[in-house]
Amino acid sequence: MNRKTLVLPAVVGLLAPALAACGGSDSGSDGDAIVVGTTDRFTASKEAPAPLDPAYAYDVGLWNILRQTSQTLMVQPRGDGEPVPEAAEQCGFTDTGNERYSCTLRDGLKFANGDPVTAQDVKYSIERALSIKAESQVYSLLSTVDTVETQGDREVIFHLNSADATFPYKLSTPVAGIVNPDDYEKDKLREGFELDGSGPYTMKAEVKDGALTKAVFTKNPHYKGSLTVNNDKVELVSFEDADTMGTALDKGDIDLMTRAMTPEQIQKLSKATGGDVDLVEVSGLEIRYLAFNTKATTVKDKAVRTAVAQLINRSELVSAVYGSQAEPLYSMVPAGITGHSNSFFNRYGDPDVAKAKAMLEDAGVTTPVKFTMHYTTDHYGAATKQEFEVLQKQLNDSGLFDVDIEGTPWEKFRPAELDGKYDVFGMGWFPDFPDADSFIAPFLDTNNTLNSPYANPRIINTLIPESRREADRLSAVDSLTTIQDITAEDVPMIPLWQGKQYVATRDDITGTAYVLNSSSSLQLWELGRGVSG
């Protein structure tokens, strides 16, 4: 069979396209494990000893392990769209103000060890995440929860402290995963790589030198939910780099590879003919951005940040590093999401050295402004270094900046960033769910994921609550646009680009159209083994 690129439709707002699975099958696998490669690294360290605890994990790679094992009340459906019941039989708001949300659990739910799953377990899990308040700030997704009530063993009622039409989405994220109180202490994170739940799989970790090298997922015989599991076993193998992962695919050691392939690999696969490997393009909402510690001496003056925003040439950056695999982004809310606005372009227009110089002169800032831009070497793909070299050159060529760049492995980069040790740093974001709120609140609300000192009272106290009151997301556009305009004015961060997603797979693997959703959630249960073409 010729190698080919299968392009799946992009997400528009919250509408779910009706996709046909690539060679999909409703039958399970023949018993052989389907082996999936990733360059995500999973480490347990002194700084982050409990990477797989649902109350701590807040990273796309970690969530992609949790989603296979830790069941949630709601789940993102095939092809995206509004969440649907998973551990729950039914859920919904029971008032007109979107402040009281009730779920009824499926009858007969069990954890993988056979223990029953009850409403009390759900209450315990939510309250545990909120009480632990892990430094990852993942608990902020549940910030609108005031109290959790149970009625009998199957009904859970969430009383919210403010209207939150996005709450069903938040119940589909791993922080809302249901844990067994026998395995997870109330006030302490579960360290290491042990993981238990009631999801479609059980997981066994293979660990070397404090890093998870392979996660072996085996079909959970007690699973009861909305998902159809099309295989008996999947192995997720962590590779040191994309080239090694690609070699493993070519040799047949793995069946499929996901994030993060290099731009060169994607380009090569898209043009190649012959062989038994397909490249599948999946709609995606990944974004990259530059963030500022707004209290740091080097960038606390807003004029410095606005001058950087005025100088960055996104089109040049994307063309030089990612080509057709990404698009320039002028807002933290990407194109394709209801509420997207090109606020940064509307404010700054095309890159302009003279305008940037005037901003700095008017503020009395001495040039060249010196600072270091930090990036992670092993979390967002091998092209990250090249991306920051381009950004460095753009700023330094203006004569207004003297910028150094420094790369650090993720296991050290993330704790340092949270600790405020970086003045300027690059980050990526894979949304918690496909809604504008997931591109705004995690960065601009209290207890934000960056631990950023930037806090705008109007955004926090008025605009975010206003936007969450609207179940019809089109009605929230005015509030969402204003938030994006304020962000472009104050520049606590600068959006750079939004990317596409790709999966490379051997052609006897089915279900690849659904293995990633637009939020980069890995859905291993969709995979099966068919007949090679």
Side-chain angles (χ1 to χ4, degrees):
M1 131 178 225
N2 290 336
R3 297 189 183 194
K4 59 182 180 294
T5 303
L6 306 176
V7 183
L8 304 179
V11 174
V12 179
L14 299 179
L15 300 179
L19 303 178
C22 173
S25 170
D26 291 330
S27 62
S29 74
D30 60 5
D32 293 336
I34 296 172
V35 185
V36 177
T38 179
T39 58
D40 283 326
R41 307 295 291 169
F42 313 103
T43 58
S45 63
K46 181 180 179 181
E47 295 81 7
L52 292 181
D53 192 312
Y56 173 84
Y58 203 8
D59 165 79
V60 65
L62 298 174
W63 273 18
N64 280 340
I65 291 181
L66 287 172
R67 290 185 190 278
Q68 319 309 314
T69 57
S70 184
Q71 194 175 23
T72 48
L73 290 171
M74 304 290 283
V75 71
Q76 299 283 317
R78 280 179 143 202
D80 292 315
E82 297 184 5
V84 298
E86 162 55 351
E89 180 179 271
Q90 60 181 16
C91 286
F93 285 104
T94 59
D95 66 336
T96 57
N98 294 332
E99 294 183 357
R100 188 178 186 272
Y101 195 78
S102 177
C103 290
T104 302
L105 296 180
R106 295 178 186 270
D107 190 23
L109 281 180
K110 294 181 180 180
F111 289 106
N113 67 358
D115 289 349
V117 176
T118 67
Q120 288 72 29
D121 296 323
V122 176
K123 174 181 168 71
Y124 178 90
S125 303
I126 299 296
E127 291 180 343
R128 176 177 180 270
L130 286 169
S131 66
I132 288 177
K133 296 187 183 301
E135 65 177 1
S136 66
Q137 311 290 344
V138 69
Y139 68 91
S140 64
L141 282 168
L142 304 173
S143 63
T144 54
V145 174
D146 185 18
T147 59
V148 185
E149 175 189 354
T150 63
Q151 294 185 2
D153 286 338
R154 294 180 57 201
E155 187 172 2
V156 186
I157 302 168
F158 299 92
H159 299 275
L160 307 183
N161 53 38
S162 61
D164 189 358
T166 68
F167 189 66
Y169 284 101
K170 294 168 183 176
L171 289 181
S172 73
T173 63
V175 69
I178 306 168
V179 302
N180 190 332
D182 291 343
D183 299 319
Y184 293 82
E185 296 183 41
K186 183 177 182 180
D187 300 314
K188 182 181 178 182
L189 292 172
R190 186 177 184 181
E191 298 184 0
F193 296 104
E194 289 186 295
L195 183 59
D196 297 287
S198 56
Y201 296 100
T202 61
M203 192 276 283
K204 180 179 179 181
E206 295 186 12
V207 180
K208 181 179 180 181
D209 298 329
L212 188 153
T213 57
K214 181 190 292 186
V216 180
F217 298 102
T218 303
K219 189 174 181 180
N220 176 9
H222 293 297
Y223 170 70
K224 188 174 185 180
S226 63
L227 306 173
T228 299
V229 183
N230 292 318
N231 56 70
D232 295 322
K233 183 181 288 188
V234 180
E235 297 178 356
L236 183 67
V237 181
S238 175
F239 288 88
E240 291 188 2
D241 56 66
D243 290 337
T244 305
M245 180 171 64
T247 299
L249 182 68
D250 289 338
K251 292 170 59 179
D253 293 338
I254 64 175
D255 298 297
L256 181 147
M257 63 179 183
T258 59
R259 62 178 303 269
M261 289 181 275
T262 65
E264 292 77 16
Q265 284 176 317
I266 294 169
Q267 185 177 34
K268 180 179 178 181
L269 284 169
S270 67
K271 293 181 178 180
T273 59
D276 57 358
V277 174
D278 303 331
L279 182 68
V280 183
E281 181 183 320
V282 186
S283 61
L285 296 172
E286 172 189 5
I287 69 169
R288 298 286 174 84
Y289 61 97
L290 201 62
F292 298 93
N293 178 348
T294 54
K295 284 188 175 180
T297 303
T298 57
V299 294
K300 68 180 181 180
D301 193 320
K302 186 171 76 171
V304 174
R305 306 193 302 272
T306 58
V308 174
Q310 185 64 68
L311 290 172
I312 289 177
N313 188 327
R314 293 168 177 81
S315 297
E316 179 185 74
L317 173 67
V318 169
S319 176
V321 183
Y322 297 101
S324 62
Q325 299 159 31
E327 297 177 352
L329 180 64
Y330 296 92
S331 166
M332 292 299 288
V333 179
I337 289 290
T338 299
H340 164 76
S341 173
N342 288 315
S343 297
F344 273 79
F345 186 82
N346 295 340
R347 187 170 188 85
Y348 299 101
D350 293 324
D352 192 311
V353 175
K355 288 182 179 179
K357 183 178 181 180
M359 291 173 180
L360 295 170
E361 288 179 345
D362 290 346
V365 176
T366 302
T367 58
V369 179
K370 297 183 179 183
F371 59 77
T372 298
M373 289 194 298
H374 296 264
Y375 66 93
T376 175
T377 57
D378 59 352
H379 194 64
Y380 299 120
T384 306
K385 179 181 179 181
Q386 184 184 356
E387 178 180 340
F388 273 75
E389 288 172 344
V390 173
L391 289 171
Q392 178 190 34
K393 186 175 188 302
Q394 289 181 355
L395 296 176
N396 289 349
D397 282 355
S398 71
L400 303 174
F401 289 91
D402 181 6
V403 174
D404 292 325
I405 59 174
E406 183 176 324
T408 306
W410 179 254
E411 64 177 310
K412 296 185 181 297
F413 176 91
R414 179 60 167 155
E417 178 272 310
L418 287 171
D419 200 31
K421 293 180 178 179
Y422 298 151
D423 294 2
V424 186
F425 54 96
M427 292 285 284
W429 184 247
F430 302 84
D432 305 322
F433 46 87
D435 184 272
D437 186 85
S438 189
F439 294 92
I440 288 174
F443 312 110
L444 302 174
D445 207 351
T446 54
N447 301 315
N448 61 78
T449 186
L450 299 176
N451 200 23
S452 170
Y454 175 79
N456 184 291
R458 187 183 177 200
I459 291 177
I460 294 170
N461 300 324
T462 303
L463 295 171
I464 289 178
E466 278 182 1
S467 71
R468 288 174 173 169
R469 279 199 289 268
E470 304 296 343
D472 178 359
R473 303 309 282 159
L474 285 172
S475 300
V477 166
D478 287 348
S479 299
L480 296 170
T481 300
T482 302
I483 292 171
Q484 292 167 81
D485 289 345
I486 293 173
T487 305
E489 179 181 353
D490 290 351
V491 198
M493 57 202 66
I494 299 175
L496 297 173
W497 56 264
Q498 74 178 84
K500 301 174 183 177
Q501 293 189 113
Y502 297 88
V503 172
T505 174
R506 305 194 74 79
D507 64 6
D508 64 334
I509 301 300
T510 63
T512 54
Y514 295 112
V515 71
L516 285 176
N517 66 15
S518 66
S519 300
S520 298
S521 298
L522 196 58
Q523 302 173 139
L524 297 178
W525 54 85
E526 296 287 354
L527 298 177
R529 195 178 295 279
V531 178
S532 176

